[in-house]
Amino acid sequence: MNEKITSWLGEMRELLAPTDVIWIDGSDEQLAEIREESENNGEIIRLNSEKYPNCYLHRTAENDVARVEDRTFICCENQSDAGPTNNWVAPAEMYEKLRGLYKNCMNGKPLYVIPFLMGPPDSRFSKIGIQLTDSRYVVLNMAIMTQVGKVATDALGANGDFVKCLHATADLDPENRYICHFPQDNTVWSINSAYGGNVLLSKKCLALRLASDMGRREGWLAEHMLILGLESPSGDVHYVAAAFPSACGKTNLAMLIPPVQFPGYKVWTVGDDIAWIRVGADGRLWAVNPEAGFFGVAPLTSKKTNPNALASIQKNTIFTNVALNMDDNTPWWEGADTPEPENVVDWRGNVWQNGEHKNSDTPLAHPNSRFTAPISGCPCRSTEWANPEGVPLSAIIFGGRRAKTAPLVYEAFDWNHGVYVGATMASETTAAASGAVGVVRRDPMAMLPFCGYNMGDYFVHWLNMGEKASQPPKIFHVNWFKKGDDGKFLWRGFGENLRVLLWILDRCTNKIGARKSAIGFLPNKEDINLDGLDITETAINELLSADVQSWREDIAAQRKFFEPFGEKLPREIAEQLNETEKMLINSTENVGVGFSGEYS
Ligand code: GTP
Ligand code: SPV
Ligand code: MN
């Protein structure tokens, strides 16, 4: 037994006062037992065993349906190390407050101890955590999202270090809900929530907030990115990582199915949410997905939008906050392939019969309802997903939801410009976090809620990674969500995004030129394959250009966002901003419109 575990566990038992301690060994028998107990307690509902074998539905409390950014804290010694984008409280103060909340809170309940491994066994990328929880739902989810039990304790050995993760459901009191990170102690403490990213501490807490800080110290990157392999008809595969904010299309892009006009192309999923990235011996960047499952957005998942995700969630899946079709005991959500059920239980547990819900405009499934499914069940899983070396990246893509400003795709001039493009990303907020939806906010590298240290230092770290890599990937920006004056998306998205990926790879292999504009290289229209796509000339022109006036306004917003960083904002980023502004001032026409401009 690892001594560090024994002493930590002793301390935690005393604090939490559980009736019992149950070690999760990862065996099928033990997990089956926990599932049965949860079912008997009504914590999960077994779904139709023929249509959805080993699948369950779980409903969370109504006030506990998304990440809570305003209750998430980075508790390092100095506030300046947390930076202007993180909530901060001094560690001693936060520990004291939380100890009060945790005191005896597991009275009458067992404490589960979940050792978990993130990343392939025997990989320099991998990290180990141990999560304590009183929630069987958390145990079952962790067993899908990570490699739990023996594989983790074996990797840990008698002396290994691990991240100490503590979660207690407590009273689900939103006023006392806290998600706290103590980077100096390799510790996460979460209390009074039972939802997703707040409580599966492997995910955003370890693999992004703490790992980003470890990565800065150890010279690697922990990013909110999907990883995919794009296979061409000749059989070669190029890997791409893409950072989009929460609920902005990572899972969908990672599992893309090419349109019929592109026979022989195939997308392989390495990961859909998190990438750990290191410089390889060859000077390229190599990426690993530290997770073993998907915690994906359910609404709009269908045969039309994401058949691979749909196939992945037919068995061994936990659904959270979706609706339940009472006629055949199957899950349902808005945008599913089947019509709205006549007799249905909504995500809150309200029963609607004989079609009576059809007069209501509240959704049956929560907009942030999710599925937890193992990557092993994904038909497009990459053979490389557990490669201990990771996969080499040809391109990094940033993107967000921008109804107006950003064009469909553009390429950064070079690495440093790409870091500026990432640092100035913005996106409309979604239901993945509590708070208003649809408001544009700046979200550098899709990491605003997940960077575990001062974001100014994070930009420096990104710039340094480009220096360390002699063959860094090219950097791009995409926007699947640009809207026309009618308020409708100009781009069909989903499978059609392959057309943009192909342009990106053609740029990476220097097959085609592009137009230099103030914001980056824009595609020549003829270089994006639009075969068989029903799109008007006006729409494509609109997609491949940017309105100068709104971009100038965006520059002002970028400046405002950077202000609180003060001295921490790297000079390179400030210079890139000034340079872009200068070029925009000189632009007499909208960026990209008219298709004039220098070629490269
Ligand atoms: P997180 O799991 O929160 O990190 O989200 P994600 O980035 O993986 O987003 P996901 O792929 O689950 O997509 C979120 C929502 O955007 C879903 O409702 C999708 O159907 C929708 N979406 C994804 N890709 C596209 C696209 O290309 N076009 C349009 N219009 N919608 C899309
Ligand atoms: C996200 O919000 O980016 C997610 C879902 O992937 S959660 O695990 O809740 O953070
Ligand atoms: Mn995410």
Side-chain angles (χ1 to χ4, degrees):
M1 176 59 93
N2 184 314
E3 286 237 332
K4 294 172 201 159
I5 305 181
T6 328
S7 70
W8 174 58
L9 199 54
E11 192 192 324
M12 291 297 106
R13 276 183 85 156
E14 197 173 319
L15 176 66
L16 305 161
T19 47
D20 206 358
V21 172
I22 301 172
W23 277 81
I24 298 303
D25 60 17
S27 68
D28 291 342
E29 298 75 39
Q30 189 188 37
L31 292 171
E33 209 174 285
I34 294 174
R35 260 182 234 114
E36 202 181 309
E37 271 173 39
S38 306
E39 204 186 333
N40 294 341
N41 289 341
E43 293 157 357
I44 57 176
I45 298 166
R46 186 197 289 269
L47 296 170
N48 185 319
S49 306
E50 263 155 51
K51 294 184 175 164
Y52 285 89
N54 194 28
C55 289
Y56 295 84
L57 165 65
H58 171 79
R59 297 189 193 107
T60 64
E62 282 190 40
N63 71 20
D64 189 26
V65 294
R67 283 183 294 100
V68 280
E69 296 180 1
D70 56 334
R71 312 219 49 101
T72 299
F73 292 81
I74 302 295
C75 305
C76 44
E77 286 297 340
N78 301 313
Q79 181 164 16
S80 64
D81 292 333
T85 60
N86 281 312
N87 300 312
W88 175 88
V89 168
E93 187 186 329
M94 188 55 97
Y95 274 133
E96 191 183 313
K97 180 199 272 287
L98 294 184
R99 275 206 190 91
L101 296 175
Y102 281 116
K103 188 78 199 143
N104 298 336
C105 76
M106 293 193 189
N107 224 317
K109 290 176 165 186
L111 167 69
Y112 294 92
V113 181
I114 318 167
F116 62 94
L117 173 66
M118 302 204 76
D122 300 319
S123 164
R124 66 181 178 134
F125 285 84
S126 299
K127 297 283 175 199
I128 296 161
I130 300 184
Q131 175 157 349
L132 309 183
T133 182
D134 54 1
S135 158
R136 277 174 284 263
Y137 167 76
V138 168
V139 173
L140 297 174
N141 275 272
M142 288 292 288
I144 297 174
M145 294 307 295
T146 66
Q147 306 157 76
V148 300
K150 192 168 177 323
V151 61
T153 34
D154 285 353
L156 191 58
N159 254 319
D161 276 317
F162 57 94
V163 177
K164 300 186 274 279
C165 302
L166 168 61
H167 163 250
T169 309
D171 321 313
L172 293 178
D173 172 7
E175 301 296 317
N176 278 314
R177 187 167 292 158
Y178 287 96
I179 321 296
C180 299
H181 307 72
F182 303 88
Q184 64 287 354
D185 304 328
N186 252 345
T187 293
V188 185
W189 280 14
S190 154
I191 190 162
N192 279 313
S193 172
Y195 182 84
N198 298 334
V199 299
L200 310 177
L201 303 183
S202 58
K203 198 175 184 46
K204 297 303 171 25
C205 301
L206 191 165
L208 290 179
R209 297 196 190 94
L210 288 189
S212 61
D213 191 54
M214 293 175 198
R216 172 184 50 155
R217 285 182 271 119
E218 298 168 6
W220 52 280
L221 290 166
E223 296 299 324
H224 192 200
M225 290 179 178
L226 68 93
I227 310 165
L228 65 80
L230 177 52
E231 182 176 332
S232 69
S234 66
D236 43 282
V237 183
H238 283 93
Y239 294 92
V240 165
F244 309 153
S246 302
C248 290
K250 290 183 298 300
T251 303
N252 278 270
L253 189 66
M255 299 182 185
L256 179 153
I257 294 197
V260 292
Q261 293 83 8
F262 296 84
Y265 286 94
K266 207 153 178 1
V267 166
W268 300 105
T269 309
V270 179
D272 82 322
D273 199 49
I274 294 172
W276 286 352
I277 302 173
R278 286 175 182 261
V279 181
D282 58 1
R284 290 190 289 176
L285 293 186
W286 291 69
V288 147
N289 166 20
E291 298 191 290
F294 309 118
F295 185 60
V297 175
L300 285 189
T301 305
S302 71
K303 278 193 203 122
K304 256 193 257 122
T305 59
N306 193 347
N308 280 321
L310 206 62
S312 309
I313 59 179
Q314 298 305 303
K315 53 180 187 201
N316 306 324
T317 299
I318 300 171
F319 295 90
T320 301
N321 292 341
V322 301
L324 179 66
N325 182 337
M326 288 161 72
D327 293 331
D328 64 355
N329 198 28
T330 56
W332 191 87
W333 48 81
E334 277 66 25
D337 291 299
T338 52
E340 183 175 319
E342 292 294 308
N343 303 303
V344 62
V345 189
D346 69 18
W347 70 270
R348 295 182 162 93
N350 297 323
V351 176
W352 305 80
Q353 277 170 318
N354 305 316
E356 63 188 345
H357 179 268
K358 288 175 186 160
N359 303 320
S360 158
D361 50 12
T362 58
L364 285 170
H366 189 277
N368 193 34
S369 55
R370 298 218 169 217
F371 51 77
T372 320
I375 191 167
S376 58
C378 175
C380 56
R381 177 182 61 155
S382 164
T383 54
E384 303 307 299
W385 84 271
N387 188 330
E389 303 297 319
V391 295
L393 297 179
S394 298
I396 284 178
I397 306 174
F398 294 120
R401 279 179 194 264
R402 295 302 295 269
K404 284 279 164 260
T405 313
L408 180 64
V409 59
Y410 62 100
E411 177 192 333
F413 299 128
D414 54 29
W415 181 268
N416 281 7
H417 182 243
V419 175
Y420 162 74
V421 168
T424 52
M425 262 171 68
S427 192
E428 292 146 23
T429 50
T430 66
S434 63
V437 168
V439 183
V440 175
R441 73 164 181 188
R442 308 232 74 91
D443 189 350
M445 283 84 171
M447 284 288 279
L448 182 77
F450 309 121
C451 181
Y453 60 101
N454 190 311
M455 261 201 146
D457 293 330
Y458 172 75
F459 300 147
V460 173
H461 184 42
W462 261 87
L463 294 166
N464 289 342
M465 287 295 285
E467 295 258 302
K468 282 210 299 187
S470 54
Q471 298 188 73
K474 288 198 180 204
I475 298 180
F476 298 81
H477 187 285
V478 300
N479 177 21
W480 313 140
F481 301 94
K482 198 169 188 192
K483 288 181 176 169
D485 292 335
D486 58 1
K488 294 204 178 114
F489 291 126
L490 288 161
W491 182 249
R492 286 248 306 267
F494 301 102
E496 307 300 342
N497 295 334
L498 179 82
R499 301 170 191 271
V500 175
L501 286 182
L502 292 178
W503 181 81
I504 286 173
L505 284 186
D506 281 349
R507 286 293 295 163
C508 291
T509 49
N510 298 314
K511 284 204 186 109
I512 51 171
R515 293 171 295 120
K516 190 168 186 203
S517 80
I519 63 171
F521 293 120
L522 281 156
N524 295 310
K525 220 184 322 184
E526 59 277 15
D527 288 333
I528 297 196
N529 186 337
L530 299 174
D531 283 358
L533 185 65
D534 184 18
I535 188 165
T536 64
E537 191 74 10
T538 327
I540 195 70
N541 287 346
E542 179 96 358
L543 280 164
L544 297 184
S545 60
D547 173 60
V548 157
Q549 194 44 43
S550 54
W551 209 281
R552 286 184 190 138
E553 284 162 22
D554 205 69
I555 291 278
Q558 295 174 17
R559 265 193 208 294
K560 190 152 174 260
F561 176 74
F562 285 147
E563 234 163 61
F565 289 96
E567 293 290 296
K568 286 277 189 190
L569 185 74
R571 182 180 41 81
E572 288 87 342
I573 300 293
E575 281 169 6
Q576 294 283 350
L577 198 161
N578 292 339
E579 198 53 34
T580 307
E581 184 171 45
K582 236 188 288 162
M583 287 195 280
L584 281 169
I585 288 169
N586 296 334
S587 299
T588 50
E589 57 180 356
N590 287 342
V591 181
V593 163
F595 298 90
S596 56
E598 280 171 54
Y599 282 72
S600 140

